[in-house]
Amino acid sequence: MNWNQELFDKWIKELREGGHKQINDILGEEEEDAYCCLGILCIVASNIERLSNALEKDEYSSLCFPPKEIAEELSLDSHIQLWMRDCEYKDILKEDVYLHSYTVANYLAYLNDNEKWDFNQIADWLLTHYCIYLERRDRLASVQHDIWSHWMNYMWTKCSINPDGSRTIPEELVERWTRQMNSSYKELPIEERDSDIRQAAKMMNELNVIYEIVME
């Protein structure tokens, strides 16, 4: 899911400037113009055409978290640790050990409902932490792209080029790759696992770099 910067920017602006009352435990009470921080997100999302049908207005009072379609736009369904430096994550676990299982949406609800943070404090937290998540995501996405690119380059060398520019995969490779595609890693013969292991090592190396950054 691509990061929806438009939605994020509008959410921050609405948190800071919307003038809504802040409440706990539910997304909002429209008649009172009162919302939690996640309810403010739903207000903003309802004004974006592509997301306008994700939440019906009469559901504000019956939900505690935004619909999946909206949460995914800002990766609020990701684990809270992905948004934090290691030292900060360890500090919050000292406050409440149950936070280890929280998504970002869970944590924002916790800040709103339990810690009684106001909208400006929550906006500050989001602005400080979303870039941490995006940096880590993009690092891993870059490795994933390199893995895909490596495979495509290899595959192209095995194909014959047709007059119209298309390529034909040899029959024996179609059979081999189809079998491998439909097999789990554990089902592959030992000699056919080496390529996957090499690609996994690339991801592990990048995760190690991310871990070192987190520990700073």
Side-chain angles (χ1 to χ4, degrees):
M1 176 66 68
N2 289 329
W3 177 268
N4 190 329
Q5 190 64 42
E6 176 193 9
L7 177 60
F8 182 79
D9 292 342
K10 289 183 176 181
W11 185 22
I12 296 297
K13 182 179 177 63
E14 193 70 20
L15 284 169
R16 294 202 188 282
E17 304 175 10
H20 308 283
K21 298 176 186 177
Q22 188 169 1
I23 59 173
N24 303 327
D25 301 322
I26 59 174
L27 287 177
E29 292 284 359
E30 287 187 281
E31 292 182 0
E32 302 294 328
D33 190 30
Y35 302 90
C36 74
C37 62
L38 295 170
I40 299 297
L41 172 61
C42 292
I43 292 175
V44 173
S46 68
N47 291 324
I48 295 178
E49 183 176 356
R50 186 166 57 85
L51 298 173
S52 60
N53 295 324
L55 180 72
E56 295 295 335
K57 289 185 176 181
D58 60 2
E59 291 182 340
Y60 278 114
S61 60
S62 62
L63 295 177
C64 296
F65 295 99
K68 182 174 182 285
E69 297 93 325
I70 295 175
E72 287 180 345
E73 293 284 315
L74 299 178
S75 299
L76 300 185
D77 53 343
S78 60
H79 192 277
I80 187 60
Q81 189 174 10
L82 297 175
W83 289 55
M84 292 183 172
R85 302 295 184 191
D86 187 66
C87 57
E88 182 184 7
Y89 181 65
K90 288 179 178 178
D91 284 343
I92 69 165
L93 291 185
K94 292 176 184 177
E95 300 173 12
D96 188 338
V97 67
Y98 293 105
L99 293 177
H100 80 277
S101 63
Y102 275 25
T103 64
V104 180
N106 291 140
Y107 188 63
L108 291 172
Y110 171 82
L111 295 178
N112 187 97
D113 300 344
N114 298 74
E115 296 298 309
K116 308 302 181 185
W117 281 24
D118 64 34
F119 287 155
N120 276 312
Q121 288 175 299
I122 291 172
D124 288 342
W125 187 92
L126 286 165
L127 285 169
T128 300
H129 291 82
Y130 88 99
C131 54
I132 296 174
Y133 169 77
L134 290 183
E135 179 186 359
R136 293 172 183 171
R137 183 205 65 180
D138 287 349
R139 279 180 170 274
L140 295 181
S142 178
V143 174
Q144 188 60 46
H145 175 76
D146 289 345
I147 291 171
W148 172 81
S149 178
H150 177 271
W151 164 251
M152 291 302 299
N153 280 317
Y154 170 76
M155 187 172 69
W156 269 184
T157 65
K158 300 298 182 181
C159 298
S160 58
I161 303 176
N162 302 315
D164 63 356
S166 62
R167 300 188 184 230
T168 300
I169 303 174
E171 181 180 357
E172 64 272 17
L173 288 180
V174 171
E175 295 176 356
R176 174 187 173 91
W177 292 342
T178 299
R179 173 181 56 78
Q180 292 175 332
M181 177 182 67
N182 292 320
S183 301
S184 69
Y185 171 76
K186 291 183 178 180
E187 292 171 336
L188 293 174
I190 297 296
E191 64 273 13
E192 293 183 7
R193 297 181 183 182
D194 186 58
S195 176
D196 289 335
I197 291 172
R198 289 198 304 272
Q199 301 310 318
K202 295 177 183 179
M203 190 65 74
M204 291 175 72
N205 288 337
E206 191 60 38
L207 287 171
N208 186 56
V209 170
I210 291 175
Y211 179 75
E212 291 176 353
I213 293 173
V214 169
M215 292 297 288
E216 292 178 355

